[in-house]
Each structure stands twice: as structure tokens, then as C-alpha cells.
Amino acid sequence: MKFVLVSGGVVSGVGKGIIASSCGLLLKTIGLKVTAIKIDPYINVDAGTMNPKEHGECFVLHDGGETDLDLGNYERYLGVDLARDNNITTGKVYQQVIENERKGKYLGRTVQVVPHVIDAIIDTINRVSKVPVDKSGEEPDVCIIELGGTVGDIESMPFVEALTQLRHRAGKNNFINIHVSYVPVVNGEQKTKPTQHAVKSVRSAGLIPDLIACRCEKPLEQGTINKVASSCQVEVNQVLAVRDMPTIYQVPLLLEEQGLLRELKETLKLSDIKLSPTRVAQGQEVWAKWQKIVPLGYAETVDIVLVGKYIELHDAYLSVIKALEHSAMRCGRKLNLIWVDSEHLEEKTQKEDPTKYHKAWHDVCVAKGILVPGGFGHRGTEGMVRAAQWAREQKTPFLGVCLGMQVAVIEAARNLCNLKDATSEEFDANAEHRVIIFMPEGSKEKLGGTMRLGTRTTHFQPGSEFSKLRALYGEATSIEERHRHRYEVNPDYIEKLEQSGLIFIGKDDTNERMEVVEIKDHPYYVGVQYHPEYTSRVLDPSRPFLGFVAAAIGCLDEITKEILKDAGVANGSINGAHF
């Protein structure tokens, strides 16, 4: 096994995840099988209970693991399906060690950070790195490891020691450390001192940077590169100048241009790995597609409005943004995403701040498509309901995801079924018409890991042949997509809702849980209980998002014909992400 460690210094949030993902993509383009592990030093067991406004999106994996958003980047770039064990946290490690101690597995020894916690981290990395993550079902050749946070933080110290020991155990030519630093510009001068101190700190902790990736707003001057190399005891060709790019999808192209792949090949002796001609050809095909679909820019844009609750931190909707970008690129457009706080669409804001109210409604009215994403809690949902009503009545393409589907159902119940107080049990547990209810198997006391999580099957119903979404899935009879929710559509109201024109075209295995809703005589009005954004890929956009963006542009028929042609219009079960 070859290991590529991506660590960070100076400050966090400088793009370690994108650099790690881009590194993995470049390795995949030469035919290697690549997996990835994200280490998060926080004490939480997983990201499931963390506030999206603080931590960003909680990304859900196929096995239901609730993880850091960087695992979404790995999956999008590498086209793989990771599992919950690919995200290692301090909470998980200590939970494992304490459980082993309670079971007596340490045979009465004093349990300490060294060696027990360190060994638990190394054992987990070695075990997880060997798990197949692609369709080949074979053990990966290379494992990308991203160490979250900044080296030098107290909480990351056990992981730094474990990675230092892992490097020694892996042996020569089997481990490389890419250290990501930041080069600020002060009074027009690029400053290398923060990077020098960061590398010094990393070395004192035990890690040895083989490559230094310098993040910067503008291209590094040659003098700056030379100074970093001489001060940090590396060769000039071992310093990568990773400047800001128009899109993150161009970062792999930049790193390839900087010679990253060449350095990886030489340091890890990748030529020693025997690759089949098929794998090499597949890698070349991936790279050719990437270079084709990620150009410098598109002349025309598509205006999409996102009506959400957590718009202060855009990372709270990271996968949604990426799914929209993937779809826009597929349609040959640049995404112009307009952010609207759902509370600003409500009557309360009209009274308290008319300017915000009218600005929000102007953005909704002129948008080519309206998207209502997932979320939790009552705040802002009345604004979402009003946005769904506007989209339905004005024939504006609409996509509701999870909570977005639920508010679409609430809107239809109120305005089409004349159930004026229709709402969700989540918003009002005592309401007469609770068209959205708490799932029986859920728990209101224990929040972590108790939602309906992971990949589940959705079956398209008889009579759904009219569906625009079903056609986008290649006329499949069933699909698999990832879920994360506690509430569902109340089965008692299905008949009344369908009579009003809201057709539930997709249901779960029991035929009782509503998964997909669509309006027939509408350019594109779709609600999905699952989260299709989690399985969207750069080279293979999520179908609900692709249809939504295509409808907003006006090319839905063309995109659908392409998909049906590629799928051979063959019925059967196909995965929502890859077919």
C-alpha cells in the first residue's frame, strides 16, 4: 500500500481537501485504484449532530455514515463510494479504545495514548485503506490521507504521532507527505515566513514534508518559490504553487502542470505497480473527459435561486452547490447561484424589513429555477412554502430536496386540497392536518445516528411513465439514492394529494413511504425525499439536479434523449450515481 498524507499549517481551511482530492484524481488517471481517509481531530464521534452553520454540510455515505464534507469531495473527484470508517475522529478512536478496555482486551495493562491510542489509529488506517471502494472490487493501490485542522493543534497530536509511526512502518517509497501552507501578500510582497515556521513545526512534531503546496491568491514569483525551497530544505521542484483558480475543478489541471504526478511517481515508485491495459485505458478516458468538461469558462449563465435556512455559510449546502455546478457544466452553462434566506419571503419580514422582503421576492420571481434544499426545524419554512407555491403557479422549474419535498407537499395540501392548517409534525405536533409525520422507527431522545440514513431503494410506480424524472434515470423501474431524514409524508393524505395533481411516482420497498413527487403538467416540478446531491459526480451529474437545471435552461428534452440513448432505454435497477 502506498500512502499520500496531506497535512496543513499556518491556518486551516486553505484547501487541503481539494488538493487531496485532486492528487487522488491524478493517480487515478494513470490507472491506479485510489481510496481516501479523512482524519478529524474533534471529539464528536461523527458529524451528524454538528451545526451546519458552524461546521458546514454533513455528508452522508452509502452505508449511512454521517461525515465531514471533505469525503464528498473525495467521492466527487474519484468516483468512488466510501464508508463511515473512511472518516476517523478522536471520538471514534477513544470510543474504540475504551470499549476494548471494558472488554478486557488489554489484559490489565494501563491504557495510554502511547501505545494503545496510537496503535488503534494505525490499525484503523491499515484496515480501511485495503477496503475496495470502486466497481472493480479490488484492494486499492494508493490511500490518500487528509489530516484535518492544523499541525500543532493539541487535539491532533496523537494523529501526528500515529502518522509518523505509519511512515516508518510503511517503509521507503511507500509514504509521501504533502504539506499545505499559505503564502499571504502584505503590502504587495509575498511572505514566506509563515510557511517556514509551519514546516519547522511539522518537522519538530515528527512529520517530514516531501512536497510543500503553497496556497496563494496569485501565482507565486520564482523568487518566492526559491526562498521556500531553500528555507524548508526541499528542492525547487518540490514546491507547488497552488493559486486560486476560476473553479476548483481546474485544480487537478494546475497540479498536473506543476509536476505533482511526476513527483508522486518518482517518490512512491509507482512504476513498480503492475497495471492492466484496461485500467490504464480507463484512467486515460477519465482524464480526457475531465479536460473536456472543465474548460476555462462558459459564455452563458443559468440563474438558479436557492431558498434556504443556513445561507450565511454556503458550505452548509456544499453538495447541493456541486450538484448544480456539475449539471450546469453538462448543459454547457455557468451556474449563477442566487442565495435567498427563506425567512425573507415571509410576511413577518415584510412588516419588519420591507427592503429585504422585496429583494428576496424579486430574486425568486426572476430566477429560471427555484431550489428548496434540506434542513431541520420550523424557522423559515413558511417562506419555503411560499416559494414552492410561486414555482407551481408560475410554471417555474422547481426541485425540492428532503425538507424541500415536504414543504411542497404542505403547500399542495393547503392550496390544492384546501387544508388550510396543513403542516408538519416537526413544526406543530398538535395540528389537525399533519401531512408530514415523524417516522415510527425514529428516536426523539437520541439524535446521533437515529435518522433514516444511507442508500435505500426507490421504486417507480405503475402509471409513472409520464415522469420527466423517471426518463432522466433511463426509464429505470427502481433506483438507489442516499437518505437523511426523520419525517415523512403521512400516508393518510396520499389519495387526496394525488387527486389534486401531486403524483407520488416513487415509493420505498414497503410501498408506504413516499420518495418522489411530481406534477404532470409542469415544465419541471419534482420533490425527492432522498438527497441526490450526495451521489452527483463531476463526470456524472445527479439526475434530479440535471433535469432541474436543464429545464431552467430549456434543454430538458435534449438532455433526456441523450440519457435514454446512453442507457439503451433498458428497464431494471440502476444506481442513482453511476449507470
Side-chain angles (χ1 to χ4, degrees):
M1 176 62 63
K2 309 287 186 179
F3 294 99
V4 178
L5 169 64
V6 179
S7 56
V10 183
V11 292
S12 61
V14 292
K16 293 191 302 295
I18 298 301
I19 291 175
S21 302
S22 300
C23 178
L25 174 65
L26 290 176
L27 292 169
K28 187 171 181 179
T29 63
I30 61 175
L32 295 172
K33 298 182 291 294
V34 183
T35 186
I37 294 174
K38 173 68 187 297
I39 295 175
D40 285 305
Y42 49 67
I43 298 176
N44 303 63
V45 173
D46 60 32
T49 58
M50 301 177 81
N51 187 341
K53 283 188 176 182
E54 176 186 337
H55 188 69
E57 171 190 73
C58 171
F59 188 81
V60 177
L61 302 170
H62 74 92
D63 65 349
E66 297 174 288
T67 66
D68 182 85
L69 55 82
D70 276 315
L71 274 82
N73 286 325
Y74 305 156
E75 289 201 343
R76 284 187 282 269
Y77 276 65
L78 303 179
V80 297
D81 290 315
L82 304 176
R84 67 180 75 235
D85 287 345
N86 289 83
N87 191 195
I88 302 174
T89 69
T90 296
K92 280 185 182 179
V93 172
Y94 276 87
Q95 185 180 58
Q96 176 190 338
V97 171
I98 291 170
E99 286 177 356
N100 287 341
E101 184 273 331
R102 292 289 84 189
K103 294 176 182 177
K105 291 188 177 181
Y106 297 118
L107 301 176
R109 296 187 183 92
T110 301
V111 181
Q112 299 175 292
V113 173
V114 180
H116 302 101
V117 171
I118 303 303
D119 286 346
I121 295 170
I122 295 174
D123 291 345
T124 300
I125 291 174
N126 283 327
R127 173 176 55 82
V128 174
S129 65
K130 297 176 182 178
V131 176
V133 293
D134 60 17
K135 292 182 179 180
S136 72
E138 299 174 358
E139 182 178 313
D141 303 305
V142 183
C143 177
I144 309 291
I145 304 172
E146 181 191 347
L147 176 59
T150 305
V151 174
D153 295 341
I154 293 175
E155 58 263 32
S156 67
M157 290 174 66
F159 294 105
V160 172
E161 175 61 26
L163 292 165
T164 301
Q165 291 191 24
L166 177 64
R167 178 173 191 140
H168 176 70
R169 297 184 193 185
K172 189 177 181 181
N173 303 131
N174 290 323
F175 193 104
I176 187 171
N177 181 192
I178 303 173
H179 190 68
V180 183
S181 186
Y182 177 62
V183 178
V185 177
V186 180
N187 295 326
E189 182 183 356
Q190 295 175 339
K191 296 292 185 178
T192 65
K193 194 64 72 175
T195 297
Q196 294 178 42
H197 284 297
V199 172
K200 182 179 180 181
S201 174
V202 167
R203 285 207 171 98
S204 67
L207 294 177
I208 305 172
D210 300 286
L211 299 173
I212 299 174
C214 297
R215 285 284 292 109
C216 45
E217 282 83 11
K218 297 180 179 179
L220 287 185
E221 299 169 2
Q222 190 59 47
T224 303
I225 295 174
N226 293 340
K227 191 172 183 180
V228 170
S230 62
S231 302
C232 299
Q233 293 83 50
V234 295
E235 299 298 327
V236 172
N237 60 304
Q238 293 175 293
V239 179
L240 307 173
V242 190
R243 66 181 184 274
D244 287 351
M245 300 295 286
T247 74
I248 61 172
Y249 308 112
Q250 292 168 251
V251 175
L253 305 175
L254 173 65
L255 292 176
E256 199 275 337
E257 176 188 304
Q258 296 268 318
L260 174 58
L261 192 53
R262 180 189 66 247
E263 294 297 325
L264 293 172
K265 287 178 179 179
E266 292 178 0
T267 304
L268 298 175
K269 301 296 181 186
L270 298 179
S271 59
D272 294 343
I273 300 176
K274 294 182 179 180
L275 299 173
S276 68
T278 302
R279 295 289 308 183
V280 174
Q282 288 174 344
Q284 293 173 343
E285 182 182 0
V286 167
W287 189 233
K289 287 182 177 179
W290 193 279
Q291 291 175 303
K292 181 180 179 181
I293 204 170
V294 186
L296 292 177
Y298 296 101
E300 297 184 76
T301 62
V302 54
D303 298 332
I304 300 295
V305 67
L306 186 152
V307 181
K309 304 174 55 155
Y310 316 118
I311 67 168
E312 298 94 333
L313 181 65
H314 292 181
D315 273 359
Y317 299 110
L318 185 64
S319 289
V320 170
I321 298 170
K322 300 311 173 190
L324 289 170
E325 288 177 349
H326 303 162
S327 300
M329 287 192 293
R330 172 70 181 271
C331 296
R333 297 290 180 95
K334 180 181 179 181
L335 174 68
N336 179 31
L337 187 57
I338 303 162
W339 298 85
V340 171
D341 189 325
S342 56
E343 285 188 283
H344 292 174
L345 300 174
E346 298 176 353
E347 292 182 0
K348 177 182 66 175
T349 303
Q350 184 179 18
K351 297 175 183 177
E352 297 175 354
D353 195 333
T355 302
K356 286 183 178 179
Y357 176 83
H358 291 296
K359 171 65 168 61
W361 270 109
H362 172 269
D363 290 339
V364 169
C365 293
V366 301
K368 296 298 182 181
I370 298 172
L371 170 68
V372 179
F376 297 93
H378 186 212
R379 181 182 65 83
T381 54
E382 288 303 315
M384 294 179 178
V385 170
R386 298 181 78 182
Q389 180 180 1
W390 171 270
R392 178 179 59 79
E393 293 177 347
Q394 302 301 318
K395 304 290 186 180
T396 302
F398 172 86
L399 177 61
V401 176
C402 197
L403 176 63
M405 168 184 161
Q406 295 174 5
V407 299
V409 170
I410 292 171
E411 188 278 322
R414 291 178 183 177
N415 299 312
L416 296 179
C417 302
N418 204 32
L419 305 175
K420 295 303 180 184
D421 68 339
T423 188
S424 168
E425 184 179 343
E426 183 180 12
F427 312 150
D428 184 355
N430 299 314
E432 179 182 359
H433 297 295
R434 289 169 293 168
V435 294
I436 307 296
I437 58 174
F438 190 79
M439 292 188 296
E441 69 269 33
S443 171
K444 294 185 179 181
E445 286 74 39
K446 184 180 178 182
L447 299 182
T450 58
M451 286 187 274
R452 184 169 179 250
L453 295 164
T455 299
R456 309 290 177 121
T457 302
T458 294
H459 301 276
F460 286 111
Q461 300 300 295
S464 64
E465 290 75 16
F466 74 89
S467 168
K468 296 178 177 66
L469 182 61
R470 180 172 177 174
L472 288 162
Y473 277 111
E475 293 293 354
T477 56
S478 63
I479 56 172
E480 292 186 342
E481 293 280 9
R482 300 181 190 179
H483 294 67
R484 186 177 188 248
H485 64 111
R486 284 194 176 90
Y487 293 83
E488 63 177 335
V489 179
N490 189 338
D492 295 341
Y493 291 88
I494 300 303
E495 184 177 351
K496 193 174 186 67
L497 286 164
E498 290 202 316
Q499 288 174 353
S500 73
L502 205 64
I503 311 300
F504 293 93
I505 63 168
K507 300 181 182 180
D508 74 339
D509 290 327
T510 66
N511 214 39
E512 295 179 355
R513 186 159 282 157
M514 304 302 114
E515 294 280 5
V516 186
V517 65
E518 187 170 343
I519 292 179
K520 188 174 183 179
D521 298 320
H522 193 284
Y524 193 86
Y525 194 96
V526 171
V528 292
Q529 185 59 73
Y530 51 81
H531 287 267
E533 67 270 24
Y534 292 144
T535 53
S536 186
R537 304 287 187 260
V538 179
L539 303 179
D540 189 9
S542 158
R543 292 315 185 254
F545 280 89
L546 179 58
F548 168 63
V549 171
I553 295 170
C555 63
L556 179 58
D557 289 343
E558 292 88 336
I559 291 294
T560 302
K561 287 177 182 177
E562 289 179 15
I563 290 173
L564 291 174
K565 181 180 178 181
D566 292 341
V569 201
N571 290 329
S573 178
I574 50 179
N575 183 279
H578 316 287
F579 59 99

